[in-house]
Amino acid sequence: MSETNATQAVHRCGARWRRRLPDARLTRPALRRLRAWTASQARRLGRAARRDDGMSTAEYAVGTVAAVGFGAALYKVVTSDAVVDALNAIITRALNATF
């Protein structure tokens, strides 16, 4: 939405408020400040949305690299001689247990 469209939408919204709330006593300066604030918030949100373009791709790439690194480290630990011997001892003890 362009800035002029956002401003026009805010103006239409203000007119709608005046019709719905005739007793609200929105003065022209107060309504002008409300329109300016609403338009500035819309512009700020639009800029924030544009700044985040492509962020999810970078986050997925970093997460994938971290997962691969963690998986490689875990594989090295599990296949080391000490861990293999410990797992074999645990399994042997469990299979040879007397009931």
Side-chain angles (χ1 to χ4, degrees):
M1 180 182 289
S2 69
E3 186 174 331
T4 56
N5 289 343
T7 305
Q8 289 170 354
V10 169
H11 287 290
R12 283 193 304 271
C13 191
R16 213 176 304 134
W17 286 341
R18 281 194 304 266
R19 279 196 309 271
R20 286 185 186 165
L21 305 171
D23 298 336
R25 307 221 189 243
L26 283 175
T27 62
R28 283 181 193 246
L31 192 57
R32 213 174 290 130
R33 284 193 304 270
L34 175 67
R35 286 180 187 143
W37 179 81
T38 307
S40 71
Q41 295 301 312
R43 282 191 303 272
R44 194 188 82 185
L45 288 173
R47 283 192 302 266
R50 283 191 299 276
R51 275 195 310 259
D52 281 347
D53 288 347
M55 285 298 293
S56 61
T57 303
E59 289 168 355
Y60 282 124
V62 169
T64 302
V65 169
V68 168
F70 181 72
L74 188 61
Y75 178 76
K76 282 298 235 180
V77 169
V78 170
T79 57
S80 69
D81 290 336
V83 173
V84 169
D85 291 340
L87 287 174
N88 280 335
I90 291 171
I91 292 171
T92 303
R93 218 175 318 137
L95 293 175
N96 292 331
T98 57
F99 293 103

